[in-house]
Amino acid sequence: MDRAELADFLRRRREALRPDDVGLPLGQRRRTSGLRREEVATLSGMSTDYYTRLEQQRGPRPSEQMLAAIARGLRLTLDERDHLFRLAGHTAPSRVSRADHVSPALMRVLDRLHDTPAQVMSNLGETLVQNRPAQALLGDETGHAGPARSAAYRWFTDPAEQLLYPPADRGRHARFLVASLRAASGSDPRAAELARLLAAKSAEFAKLWEAHEVAVPFERRKTLVHPDVGEIALDCQLLHTDDFAQVLLVFTATPGTEDAEKLQLLSVVGPELL
């Protein structure tokens, strides 16, 4: 671990970011245009003291999980992320087997979406980051570990996962999840391994996997079932990275409808108060 170089790199990347780059207001009393340490810590999901010690060349070597969080908080590119890992004494993650570094371009869009649900997902259906309205609408999907990080795995192994959709829509959504995993298996070995695991656990998955569908259209008009506000009809727009490894989902409702009122309620009160 090169403490001096790590500290210098973190400081320079922090100072290069403007508050509006990450969806924060400029404020009136900023001495520089860069971010404050506490802001980077918040964006990275860690304490200000922990992050400050890294910039001051103190504290233990950060784990890979901490480094991934810092890379996301500082909106690092893949090259910058790899450099960060090496400075901290870790091997840079494989770009094939580790697609959890959120695209900076998608993060810049997500940073500006404060009042409508939005989240970034990987090609395996892993939710990499959510804003507060998305957590209020869908629950916190970022805290899962292992295979359960994948929406497909949870769908076929946890009956509660299917309660988010009306019974009439569950069959089509199941087909979409399997087809998406099948399409990803051609370029990501993790997808094939996840499919093997699921086939051993779920007869429904195994049957759908054998159908070899790869082109089940994404249902852009969705009806979701929220435990507090009931059914809510939403439009879901997608923004993919160039390699289709990640996608930004944005949920909106038709203005003036009861669905729009429900969505507004969820966006205002947030996930903690429901």
Side-chain angles (χ1 to χ4, degrees):
M1 176 177 175
D2 191 331
R3 293 181 182 275
E5 286 294 315
L6 175 63
D8 183 70
F9 180 66
L10 292 175
R11 178 178 59 80
R12 290 183 182 279
R13 295 316 306 151
R14 173 174 60 83
E15 292 177 349
L17 279 175
R18 291 176 51 83
D20 54 354
D21 289 334
V22 296
L24 295 174
L26 283 173
Q28 299 297 321
R29 297 183 178 180
R30 288 187 175 270
R31 297 178 181 176
T32 67
S33 60
L35 297 185
R36 301 186 179 103
R37 286 170 175 166
E38 57 266 28
E39 291 170 336
V40 173
T42 298
L43 291 169
S44 304
M46 61 187 60
S47 70
T48 300
D49 177 68
Y50 182 91
Y51 179 80
T52 298
R53 282 186 290 158
L54 291 178
E55 280 204 11
Q56 294 178 344
Q57 305 181 40
R58 300 185 293 117
R61 183 176 73 162
S63 67
E64 291 187 3
Q65 291 77 12
M66 282 294 190
L67 292 171
I70 292 171
R72 184 172 60 248
L74 288 173
R75 309 308 192 244
L76 300 184
T77 65
L78 274 175
D79 289 336
E80 290 170 334
R81 180 207 64 174
D82 291 352
H83 183 63
L84 174 68
F85 269 70
R86 287 190 288 267
L87 289 177
H90 291 283
T91 301
S94 167
R95 299 192 184 190
V96 174
S97 63
R98 290 282 297 276
D100 54 358
H101 177 68
V102 182
S103 160
L106 295 186
M107 281 299 302
R108 284 194 291 271
V109 179
L110 182 66
D111 287 335
R112 286 156 176 76
L113 299 174
H114 300 291
D115 59 353
T116 192
Q119 61 187 41
V120 178
M121 301 184 72
S122 75
N123 58 347
L124 267 66
E126 301 159 329
T127 300
L128 305 178
V129 61
Q130 294 174 290
N131 63 8
R132 281 174 48 83
Q135 290 183 357
L137 176 66
L138 304 168
D140 184 358
E141 297 183 344
T142 63
H144 300 287
R149 293 185 64 198
S150 169
Y153 183 89
R154 298 196 304 274
W155 181 271
F156 290 102
T157 61
D158 183 1
E161 190 75 12
Q162 300 188 16
L163 298 180
L164 182 63
Y165 285 80
D169 296 345
R170 293 173 188 170
R172 179 180 178 83
H173 188 65
R175 287 176 56 215
F176 170 76
L177 290 172
V178 176
S180 298
L181 193 63
R182 171 70 79 173
S185 66
S187 59
D188 191 334
R190 298 180 307 152
E193 178 59 33
L194 185 60
R196 285 192 290 271
L197 183 62
L198 274 171
K201 290 178 172 291
S202 169
E204 180 189 5
F205 175 87
K207 182 178 180 180
L208 291 172
W209 185 257
E210 289 176 2
H212 213 121
E213 289 187 290
V214 294
V216 175
F218 179 78
E219 196 70 33
R220 295 182 182 273
R221 181 69 174 174
K222 291 180 174 292
T223 298
L224 302 179
V225 183
H226 191 278
D228 293 302
V229 302
E231 288 194 0
I232 176 170
L234 300 171
D235 291 308
C236 183
Q237 302 299 317
L238 308 180
L239 178 61
H240 288 274
T241 54
D242 291 340
D243 59 3
F244 284 84
Q246 295 178 5
V247 60
L248 173 66
L249 283 71
V250 181
F251 297 89
T252 59
T254 303
T257 64
E258 182 181 357
D259 300 306
E261 294 177 359
K262 291 179 179 180
L263 192 61
Q264 177 65 20
L265 173 63
L266 293 174
S267 298
V268 169
V269 301
E272 294 86 357
L273 301 181
L274 291 174

